[in-house]
Amino acid sequence: MYELDCAGVIPGCTRIIRAESQAEVIRRAVVQAKQLGVDTITPNLMDAFRNRLTEASVH
């Protein structure tokens, strides 16, 4: 399981996005960004998604 705390990455986002794969977390982050009014997903934003992505510990 992977997760991304989108606070500080996507303006106005307070969610923690979780999914089974890194690619799915990033896909969901892109959708979330667009829903919050980010018109253009820049290379810098994609880098921020990748850099903040973590592997979630399974309890």
Side-chain angles (χ1 to χ4, degrees):
M1 178 73 69
Y2 295 91
E3 65 183 28
L4 169 71
D5 182 351
C6 69
V9 180
I10 303 169
C13 185
T14 58
R15 292 184 58 207
I16 295 178
I17 300 168
R18 294 183 179 92
E20 292 298 321
S21 70
Q22 293 179 8
E24 181 61 15
V25 170
I26 290 174
R27 187 194 71 74
R28 291 178 185 184
V30 168
V31 169
Q32 181 69 35
K34 290 184 183 238
Q35 289 175 344
L36 290 170
V38 177
D39 293 326
T40 304
I41 306 299
T42 65
N44 285 342
L45 185 56
M46 288 300 290
D47 287 343
F49 291 157
R50 286 188 207 96
N51 291 336
R52 298 283 299 267
L53 190 66
T54 59
E55 191 163 358
S57 58
V58 179
H59 298 282

